[in-house]
Amino acid sequence: MQIVHKINDFLYTIFPELENASEKEIINAIQKYYTYGPFVPKVSIKDGIVTIDVDTEYIITQDADYNKTVALCEKGKFDDAKIILEKLIQKNPSNSEFHRILGQILSEQGDQDEAINALIDALRWNSSNGWGLLMMGNIFAKHKKDLKTALIYYDQAILANKADHITLANIAYLLFQENKLEEAKKYAWETIKLNEKYPNAHFILSLIAQSENDLHSAFYSTLQAIKFSTQKDALYQNAVKQAFEVAKVIAGDFDGKKIFFKYRSQLEAEGGTEIDIYADDEIKTAAKVEIAERYNRNKHIVKYKSTYPAVEHLVMHELVHLDFVNQARKENLNQVFISTQQNKNNFIDTILAAINNLKFKIQDPSTIDFFIESIFSGLNLQTYNTPIDVFIEDFLYKEYAELRPYQFLSLFGMLQDAIKAVTDERILDIAPKEVISKTRTFSLVNAMQFKELFGIDTIQDFKPTQAELKLAETFYKEFIEYREDRKPGEEYELVKHWAQDLSLDTFFELESEAKFESKNSIDDFLNKLQQDPFGLEEPEDPFQKREMEKFQKHQEEIGTNMAIVMFMVEALKHFKEKGASDIKQAAFEIAMLGTQGIDPNKKDYIISSINNKRFSGNQVLAFYYVSWALAMPEQVQHLGLDFGKEFEMAKKINI
């Protein structure tokens, strides 16, 4: 069969890559396109015409034998395949691929010298036979131990675009073993160009970097190897081991304090308050920051336990806590986490069964009190810290790459403690199951972040239930949504949301720092209480304002809120038989509740003037609007609740 093309604009339309090409480039491109398997057509150009001669009959007669040969090789029947190949070569010695397959058969049979001869024939007929070049490189590298010659063929295979990532990685490792680091590095990077997620290549780069004493690069490449390992095979295990070894060397040899000294100076300049940093092995947690104003001091203090690994990370973590506080303060959005005796009583009510069970095992009341206090404060610490900590660790990982080895060792150590806390049989025997479950859920969030940052999966070590795992995944997805454009103080929203989802929101209060400060100044507090008992004239809390704005935006998106409508119908029925003074009393009481902020998602609100009932946040908002609309309609517009349509609909339903 003969195919003819004129060299004109139409040819460039169907072969756009040939425009501006030389005759030789046109011949090569056309020849490549019309090649069928091992059968290469004859291409010539004369008088502006390209002629392609494809011997279809020849292809038909030889293709069947060629395919039969390939099938026999796949079954390991090399002798049978070799007989057919030798006949094919005798008929058509110019076919490079026939020689290449013969060379492969001879190599498989252990005759490397004859294999080389066959492959040389293949390359003489087609010097760009990539698989032939690759096989030659393999024979010289593996069987002849001649790395220098092997590299000549491997380089040509790369140019022919036939080198696969696995082979290149093996070459890189061979070169590394020969201490040819630059050449090994070159092949490792060539591997990553072909497959950037091939873990072996990253692990080889880590070994090279370690040999060159570039430990931070070694740590980075090791993490990449861990992250891209799809199964916990030997490579994964070696990479994990390497990560710990390199991280420990960095933490032991490098002066990590320089990192937090610089950050401390930055925060002191921005906040105008000195920061002291020192070890204190008496503190209950791994580290803590004491905000100057909370302790009536003129400086902030960061304390850490010297017994913990990579304390530089602990210090940086607490400094970021302080940084977040400073950011929130600038927007008047900082919140204070408060736990009262009532909050503690609420907690005790939920674990009475566990306390009674403990009394049979422990007779000493003081020990039981200590136990209650420990799990109450521990759970509250997790409730407050977990949502903030994931933002902090994300910030540290992204902004302080030099801290990552310290962060890796520190977080892994804390995860091991967390695993023990929810799997140790001695703890499980006395701790309330519901507390263990909530603690495990919070810890799973930390484990999910550790897996994302460092590739090591400890999630199943916590022995989670499906419900715990699902809720932790929901929390982590919410964090991901927030982290992309976190605004000052938004971390407190997650503290509230996660606590509500775990039914922990009655164990603490989050209060505006400004309100907290004014309450702690008794004279100011009493004066404000006398002048404005319901806080109606008090400036709006920016944090509550932002929460309300988000709520209002949500209302706009969903249109009429039928849940609010039905709660308003309920409110109208309740107030129908009440006098004006009773309605006004309820309105003022809910307004007092509103000064603390009403969360639409929160449950168990109590309005004392409405007995024997607990309200959801949306119910409170509905009763809030209705009570003011009935008692003081002229003031409704100042409530910040856009429920006009819902109220009109509720009145019609209530008729």
Side-chain angles (χ1 to χ4, degrees):
M1 181 176 69
Q2 191 175 76
I3 303 166
V4 176
H5 291 295
K6 287 185 178 181
I7 301 177
N8 55 18
D9 289 341
F10 181 72
L11 178 67
Y12 301 145
T13 300
I14 59 176
F15 288 103
E17 69 275 16
L18 298 185
E19 192 169 1
N20 300 319
S22 66
E23 282 194 5
K24 184 177 180 181
E25 289 170 337
I26 291 174
I27 290 173
N28 289 338
I30 294 289
Q31 194 174 61
K32 182 177 180 182
Y33 181 81
Y34 288 101
T35 293
Y36 173 71
F39 306 102
V40 182
K42 294 178 180 179
V43 181
S44 61
I45 296 177
K46 185 177 181 181
D47 298 329
I49 294 175
V50 181
T51 303
I52 306 108
D53 288 306
V54 181
D55 192 340
T56 51
E57 291 184 11
Y58 189 66
I59 289 173
I60 291 169
T61 57
Q62 289 206 322
D63 194 33
D65 286 339
Y66 172 77
N67 290 333
K68 187 177 180 180
T69 301
V70 173
L72 288 169
C73 287
E74 289 174 350
K75 295 177 182 178
K77 296 181 178 180
F78 298 122
D79 287 333
D80 294 340
K82 191 160 58 172
I83 292 170
I84 298 172
L85 263 179
E86 287 170 347
K87 290 179 181 178
L88 285 172
I89 291 171
Q90 189 175 11
K91 291 179 182 179
N92 185 11
S94 65
N95 192 305
S96 173
E97 193 64 6
F98 293 165
H99 295 285
R100 197 274 302 176
I101 293 178
L102 179 59
Q104 183 176 345
I105 291 172
L106 291 165
S107 179
E108 291 286 347
Q109 292 180 327
D111 192 346
Q112 305 306 329
D113 290 333
E114 283 304 311
I116 289 172
N117 290 334
L119 291 169
I120 287 175
D121 286 337
L123 296 173
R124 284 172 176 170
W125 287 111
N126 179 9
S127 61
S128 296
N129 187 325
W131 298 120
L133 291 164
L134 202 58
M135 282 195 62
M136 284 289 272
N138 289 340
I139 291 172
F140 277 100
K142 297 176 182 178
H143 302 290
K144 298 297 183 179
K145 306 300 180 184
D146 183 353
L147 202 54
K148 183 178 179 181
T149 303
L151 291 179
I152 294 172
Y153 288 104
Y154 283 139
D155 284 340
Q156 291 302 308
I158 293 171
L159 292 174
N161 293 319
K162 287 295 182 182
D164 64 281
H165 64 276
I166 296 174
T167 299
L168 290 184
N170 291 337
I171 299 167
Y173 187 66
L174 286 172
L175 288 165
F176 169 73
Q177 289 182 314
E178 294 288 325
N179 202 35
K180 298 181 184 298
L181 302 185
E182 285 303 315
E183 293 95 328
K185 202 183 301 182
K186 168 192 164 185
Y187 277 93
W189 283 115
E190 288 291 341
T191 305
I192 290 171
K193 285 181 187 177
L194 293 176
N195 184 350
E196 63 179 12
K197 295 184 178 181
Y198 189 51
N200 301 56
H202 291 285
F203 187 62
I204 292 165
L205 283 174
S206 76
L207 295 175
I208 295 169
Q210 186 181 28
S211 296
E212 295 176 334
N213 203 34
D214 183 0
L215 296 182
H216 281 280
S217 294
F219 183 71
Y220 170 80
S221 293
T222 304
L223 291 187
Q224 296 300 99
I226 293 170
K227 289 178 181 179
F228 293 136
S229 293
T230 56
Q231 53 189 354
K232 294 187 176 181
D233 54 11
L235 175 74
Y236 173 86
Q237 300 295 344
N238 288 332
V240 170
K241 181 181 177 183
Q242 167 93 340
F244 279 101
E245 289 176 356
V246 173
K248 287 175 182 177
V249 172
I250 292 173
D253 291 351
F254 289 80
D255 186 4
K257 292 183 173 61
K258 289 180 181 178
I259 304 171
F260 68 69
F261 282 156
K262 183 178 179 180
Y263 190 33
R264 176 178 69 175
S265 298
Q266 174 191 328
L267 295 182
E268 287 177 334
E270 291 174 355
T273 303
E274 288 185 37
I275 305 169
D276 273 355
I277 301 172
Y278 57 81
D280 182 352
D281 292 335
E282 299 302 315
I283 58 175
K284 295 179 180 179
T285 55
K288 65 180 293 192
V289 58
E290 295 179 354
I291 306 296
E293 293 77 8
R294 300 283 80 77
Y295 288 83
N296 197 27
R297 299 186 184 124
N298 61 359
K299 59 176 66 177
H300 307 300
I301 295 177
V302 173
K303 300 177 180 179
Y304 61 89
K305 279 188 174 179
S306 62
T307 53
Y308 271 71
V311 294
E312 292 84 354
H313 164 256
L314 298 177
V315 173
M316 284 293 286
H317 181 98
E318 298 306 318
L319 288 176
V320 181
H321 257 298
L322 179 58
D323 195 356
F324 281 8
V325 167
N326 289 341
Q327 292 173 27
R329 280 177 169 174
K330 288 178 182 177
E331 304 292 330
N332 200 21
L333 293 168
N334 195 42
Q335 301 285 296
V336 179
F337 189 90
I338 304 165
S339 182
T340 65
Q341 185 58 48
Q342 181 58 53
N343 296 133
K344 186 174 181 180
N345 292 341
N346 294 341
F347 172 72
I348 291 172
D349 287 343
T350 66
I351 62 164
L352 281 175
I355 293 172
N356 291 331
N357 180 52
L358 195 62
K359 287 178 179 178
F360 287 106
K361 300 177 180 180
I362 302 173
Q363 305 300 318
D364 182 12
S366 62
T367 302
I368 294 175
D369 289 342
F370 177 77
F371 169 77
I372 294 170
E373 178 61 36
S374 296
I375 58 175
F376 174 61
S377 60
L379 190 57
N380 266 350
L381 277 172
Q382 265 196 308
T383 303
Y384 175 69
N385 281 311
T386 304
I388 301 176
D389 285 352
V390 286
F391 283 108
I392 290 174
E393 297 305 335
D394 181 70
F395 170 80
L396 288 175
Y397 187 87
K398 290 177 179 175
E399 300 298 325
Y400 290 91
E402 69 271 33
L403 187 74
R404 288 178 191 172
Y406 303 90
Q407 186 181 23
F408 171 73
L409 293 173
S410 178
L411 291 180
F412 184 81
M414 287 189 279
L415 277 176
Q416 297 310 299
D417 289 343
I419 291 167
K420 184 178 180 181
V422 296
T423 58
D424 190 307
E425 291 298 332
R426 293 168 297 180
I427 297 173
L428 297 179
D429 185 48
I430 59 173
K433 290 182 179 178
E434 57 270 35
V435 173
I436 290 292
S437 179
K438 297 175 198 303
T439 295
R440 184 183 287 115
T441 302
F442 279 133
S443 295
L444 286 170
V445 174
N446 298 130
M448 289 171 185
Q449 184 176 47
F450 189 77
K451 180 183 177 182
E452 181 186 359
L453 297 182
F454 298 104
I456 297 178
D457 188 352
T458 61
I459 292 171
Q460 291 305 319
D461 294 340
F462 286 90
K463 300 178 181 178
T465 65
Q466 283 302 310
E468 291 163 350
L469 195 56
K470 186 176 180 180
L471 188 54
E473 287 171 348
T474 301
F475 288 171
Y476 199 64
K477 286 177 183 176
E478 186 178 15
F479 154 68
I480 290 171
E481 291 172 3
Y482 271 78
R483 74 176 175 186
E484 298 307 318
D485 60 347
R486 185 194 74 87
K487 296 177 178 61
E490 279 193 331
E491 56 271 16
Y492 297 124
E493 295 176 22
L494 293 195
V495 173
K496 291 172 64 177
H497 296 171
W498 296 4
Q500 288 160 2
D501 289 345
L502 284 168
S503 299
L504 300 173
D505 50 318
T506 61
F507 303 162
F508 68 93
E509 303 293 336
L510 266 182
E511 189 171 80
S512 162
E513 186 175 44
K515 286 185 179 180
F516 178 81
E517 294 289 355
S518 65
K519 283 183 179 180
N520 282 275
S521 175
I522 191 65
D523 292 336
D524 289 346
F525 178 69
L526 291 174
N527 288 334
K528 288 181 181 178
L529 191 62
Q530 290 174 353
Q531 295 169 11
D532 184 20
F534 297 105
L536 301 180
E537 299 176 7
E538 192 172 306
E540 189 171 11
D541 182 348
F543 187 80
Q544 292 174 15
K545 180 181 178 182
R546 188 164 73 182
E547 289 278 274
M548 183 57 72
E549 286 173 350
K550 287 186 177 182
F551 176 68
Q552 289 172 337
K553 183 179 179 182
H554 177 65
Q555 295 303 114
E556 291 175 6
E557 291 171 353
I558 66 173
T560 302
N561 189 327
M562 291 308 298
I564 292 292
V565 171
M566 300 315 296
F567 288 140
M568 283 183 166
V569 171
E570 180 186 357
L572 286 167
K573 288 179 179 177
H574 173 80
F575 290 126
K576 188 174 183 180
E577 306 298 328
K578 303 292 182 183
S581 61
D582 291 336
I583 297 174
K584 186 173 285 190
Q585 179 184 348
F588 280 139
E589 183 185 349
I590 301 174
M592 176 69 84
L593 194 62
T595 64
Q596 305 299 315
I598 299 171
D599 189 334
N601 300 308
K602 189 175 179 180
K603 303 173 184 177
D604 296 331
Y605 280 106
I606 296 173
I607 303 173
S608 59
S609 60
I610 305 176
N611 295 326
N612 301 319
K613 186 171 180 62
R614 289 184 179 269
F615 293 81
S616 70
N618 274 324
Q619 278 180 296
V620 173
L621 291 172
F623 273 74
Y624 191 8
Y625 191 96
V626 170
S627 63
W628 280 74
L630 296 175
M632 293 159 285
E634 71 281 359
Q635 297 293 330
V636 171
Q637 61 181 322
H638 302 300
L639 298 181
L641 295 171
D642 188 16
F643 288 154
K645 289 187 293 184
E646 284 80 359
F647 184 56
E648 292 303 317
M649 188 179 292
K651 286 193 293 183
K652 291 176 182 177
I653 295 173
N654 192 48
I655 292 174

